Amino acid sequence: SLDGWTLSEGDGVVYTFDGVQLSSGESIVLHTGSGADTENDLYWGLSSPVWNNNGDTGTLMNDEGEEVDVYSYD
């Protein structure tokens, strides 16, 4: 269960996963814009880009606020 987990961007924009179940080997795609969530596609619902083209950092935190993974790019 990813319920309560968050994905945040370097400037503090945060997506909170709600009711998401992910089995071993499964994946999801989190889209910045709007749409209807499906089992494998989730939508942040934002009207502007989240990730910067010149570099950014994404941080995944579990439901207890512990850092699970960080990915940075230039």
Side-chain angles (χ1 to χ4, degrees), residues 3-29:
D3 195 34
W5 286 44
T6 60
L7 178 64
S8 61
E9 177 267 344
D11 290 331
V13 180
V14 178
Y15 177 86
T16 301
F17 294 90
D18 183 25
V20 177
Q21 299 291 322
L22 193 61
S23 297
S24 178
E26 288 185 327
S27 63
I28 55 173
V29 176

Side-chain angles (χ1 to χ4, degrees), residues 45-71:
L46 301 174
S47 59
S48 60
V50 173
W51 308 107
N52 299 318
N53 289 336
N54 61 347
D56 218 331
T57 299
T59 304
L60 182 66
M61 307 279 277
N62 68 18
D63 60 343
E64 295 180 7
E66 301 167 330
E67 187 177 283
V68 175
D69 200 9
V70 175
Y71 179 79

